[in-house]
Amino acid sequence: VKPVWNMHVLSPADLHFVVSGASIQKASMQIISSLEEMRTASRCAHADSKRIVLVPTMGALHEGHLELIREARKLADYTIVSVFVNPTQFGPTEDFNAYPRDLEDDRRRVDALGCVDVIFAPDVGEMYPDGTSMTFVSVEKMAEHLCGASRENHFRGVGTVVTKLFNICRPDVAVFGLKDAQQYFLIRRLVFDLNIPTEIIGVPTVREEDGLARSSRNKYLTKEERRQAPVLSEALSSVRTEIQNGERLSRRLIQMLRTRLSSATLGRIDYTDIVQTKDFQPVEILESGETVVAAIAVYFGNARLIDNAIILVP
Ligand code: AMP
């Protein structure tokens, strides 16, 4: 991964930084909820000359998260998985209260991997003693469109909690999923702008057999909605093909996405757009050699599903 803010030349293959090596079995995994204890554990790991990797999650762990953790353990020798449903990234009408939480199930899944040192699962009261924060970390411009437009203050909450987690855990490297592409690129920009000494690694989206991106929110889908949900990845695949075939007009590609998505009768489109990776601003004409993100969000009932394709324009 390039050490500078130079994302527009990277392809997804470059973003996926994999180091092959023997798997590391950990003798015992700690669950830490206290910030002070987490700080001490990180300090000890650093004092032992260990390289620390952090995988931030909101729990309800599935195969997508587990893949992030498997990649993480190849990058460092002390692995922290944080489980924290962060209130500041949810809007007042969003699913903060309903968001699935099952720390015992998360613990079992992580423990079975045998490579994690700590699950860091702080209480909201410790992370936000007043329930919220007076200080926020916002990445301007990159949060204007896509999820930033439909979820007010979402990325401000993400930027804030990730900065807090980095300050508590002091990771040398942190792993994020490309399923949340806007989040991934925004965090890269955040650490670049604020000189945070943490390397950010992206892992490609893990999917079900029919192409649906794994998500904790898939649990909300009814049987029929679940049957229709692969339309997201199908629409993105056709746009990828059209770009490979030479289509360069964003307007036409977006129209194609919308037509394809509207074939799912239970879906309601939130957004469809094509943006450049460097600032997440919409592109009108795709330029050869640049990397763009085709991104979509579709509601099925109360579940809001997102997906994207990161495409190097030939
Ligand atoms: P969440 O718990 O939804 O906040 O996700 C925690 C991390 O897991 C984020 O970096 C996500 O991008 C990543 N993630 C979630 N689902 C997937 C998936 N299907 N494939 C790869 N990464 C994922």
Side-chain angles (χ1 to χ4, degrees), residues 97-165:
N97 288 325
Y99 198 84
R101 293 165 172 86
D102 188 345
L103 187 58
E104 184 45 34
D105 187 60
D106 292 342
R107 190 197 61 75
R108 261 197 306 271
R109 285 169 194 260
V110 172
D111 209 16
L113 294 176
C115 64
V116 172
D117 295 271
V118 174
I119 292 184
F120 176 46
D123 290 334
V124 173
E126 267 223 75
M127 288 292 274
Y128 298 105
D130 304 329
T132 182
S133 185
M134 285 196 212
T135 306
F136 290 98
V137 181
S138 301
V139 182
E140 293 182 11
K141 205 164 179 188
M142 292 200 77
E144 280 173 3
H145 299 282
L146 313 178
C147 290
S150 47
R151 302 185 68 186
E152 202 188 346
N153 292 332
H154 170 68
F155 286 118
R156 184 184 86 150
V158 170
T160 303
V161 79
V162 167
T163 305
K164 286 163 78 76
L165 290 169

Side-chain angles (χ1 to χ4, degrees), residues 16-20 53 55 64-76 79 113 115 173 175 201-204:
H16 186 199
F17 180 73
V18 180
V19 181
S20 57
V53 61
V55 184
H65 298 111
L66 300 185
E67 187 59 21
L68 259 57
I69 299 169
R70 287 189 201 100
E71 293 302 335
R73 75 166 165 196
K74 300 174 187 168
L75 301 168
T79 306
L113 294 176
C115 64
V173 53
V175 179
I201 300 297
V203 172

Side-chain angles (χ1 to χ4, degrees), residues 278-291:
K278 73 171 192 290
D279 55 7
F280 267 66
Q281 295 294 309
V283 194
E284 276 180 32
I285 299 172
L286 281 61
E287 303 286 348
S288 172
E290 78 175 335
T291 303

Side-chain angles (χ1 to χ4, degrees), residues 55-69 82-85 89-90 99 154 158 175-181 183-184 201-208 212-218 306:
V55 184
T57 81
M58 297 204 300
L61 301 181
H62 51 67
E63 192 47 41
H65 298 111
L66 300 185
E67 187 59 21
L68 259 57
I69 299 169
S82 65
V83 173
F84 181 63
V85 184
Q89 70 189 67
F90 286 79
Y99 198 84
H154 170 68
V158 170
V175 179
F176 291 85
L178 297 182
K179 171 177 173 278
D180 299 280
Q183 167 175 281
Y184 166 77
I201 300 297
V203 172
T205 304
V206 177
R207 299 175 181 281
E208 304 280 359
L212 176 65
R214 302 255 187 167
S215 164
S216 308
R217 291 192 168 96
N218 292 350
I306 60 170

